Amino acid sequence: MMIDNAEGLVFRPPSEARSFILRVTIGCSHNMCTFCAMYKDSKYRVRSLEEIDGIIERAAQAYPFVRRVFLADGDALVLPTDDLIHILKKCYATFPNINRIGAYATPADLNRKSPEDLKRLREAGLGIVYMGIESGDDEVLRHVKKGTTGALTVKAGKKALDAGMKLSAMILIGLGGKERTKEHALHTAEVVSAINPTMLSALTLIIPGNVPLYEEVVTGKFTPLTARGFLEELHMILSHTDMKNPCIFRSNHVSNLVPVGGTLPMDKDAMLATLERYIPRADNVRPLLNDTGNF
Ligand code: SF4
């Protein structure tokens, strides 16, 4: 559900498909990641509380059945804690049937907030944050300008969980290219295991023609994985995870070559077996293409 697309495209996690998408910012304050095209066409701005209150009031009238609200755009948690609490309270007071609010958050957003700030946000009804880990490998993170490190990502994820929020984390298969697939896989497995998020999604890298990483492909500085390479890398990540608490794992996004899902650590062997069945067949599969079709 979405009524607010006058300023650039709107993105939300698949699990928020039925939520009201409340854009508290337009775009992403970071907007530097070399693989990400999501907000390249949006001029970043923070919406005023007055503007947001008006949107909430109109949306609650139009969609009184709304049960969930999702705060966008790319890093809604960048807003000051008091402003976020105002927005959370306004949503709960205005939508008659609401029972959960979620938001995108970068590791830097979470690390800028104190544990007390995060607890206050949880108490005000922020139930889940979605954090893009992308990679646990510092060299990959530096290369793609993610603005964090593996250690800082672990710290951020743990802070969200310690505050009592659910944490849905995303990783990006193929982000190290052929050049760093092993390091990317092993360090990503380390980071996700250290965080042990509530949910973990593995998406497959697709490189559109309008991002800096695409130029690196053209000039030969970055070599995308083959279809087999993507599956082997996911296999390596999964096989090295060491979750102590149940983590719902999904790799069934439209970008993924083979849908895999289950709960870690219990279903790890079954998911690995699924990948092992498909890896030999992947040699004849074209990987997901960029918009030139020439990977
Ligand atoms: S922080 Fe997220 S939304 Fe912003 S540029 Fe990076 S990947 Fe894209």
Side-chain angles (χ1 to χ4, degrees), residues 49 53 56 81-91:
L49 291 180
D53 284 352
I56 294 169
T81 301
D82 286 345
D83 289 0
L84 285 165
I85 288 174
H86 170 98
I87 294 164
L88 294 167
K89 285 186 174 164
K90 178 77 181 174
C91 285

Side-chain angles (χ1 to χ4, degrees), residues 64-81:
F65 49 83
V66 159
R67 301 180 72 84
R68 291 182 175 181
V69 171
F70 179 72
L71 307 183
D73 279 344
D75 62 339
L77 233 68
V78 75
L79 293 195
T81 301

Side-chain angles (χ1 to χ4, degrees), residues 28 30-33 35-36 38-40 74 106 134 146:
C28 165
H30 181 58
N31 212 15
M32 298 270 287
C33 300
F35 58 89
C36 175
M38 284 164 64
Y39 302 109
K40 289 284 179 274
T106 63
E134 329 302 1
K146 180 69 187 174

Side-chain angles (χ1 to χ4, degrees), residues 232-269:
E232 287 177 336
E233 186 175 288
L234 177 58
H235 188 280
M236 199 185 306
I237 294 171
L238 270 180
S239 64
H240 284 85
T241 54
D242 182 21
M243 302 287 182
K244 306 294 183 215
N245 297 308
C247 169
I248 299 166
F249 177 80
R250 294 282 178 267
S251 188
N252 58 0
H253 184 255
V254 65
S255 65
N256 296 119
L257 297 164
V258 176
V260 179
T263 302
L264 290 168
M266 297 78 102
D267 301 329
K268 181 159 125 175
D269 289 346

Side-chain angles (χ1 to χ4, degrees), residues 1-3 19-22 51-69 87-98:
M1 177 191 316
M2 185 272 293
I3 57 169
S19 305
F20 175 69
I21 311 300
L22 176 58
E51 189 181 3
I52 293 168
D53 284 352
I55 293 168
I56 294 169
E57 281 160 19
R58 290 193 297 280
Q61 277 193 352
Y63 307 114
F65 49 83
V66 159
R67 301 180 72 84
R68 291 182 175 181
V69 171
I87 294 164
L88 294 167
K89 285 186 174 164
K90 178 77 181 174
C91 285
Y92 280 104
T94 314
F95 286 100
N97 293 303
I98 187 175

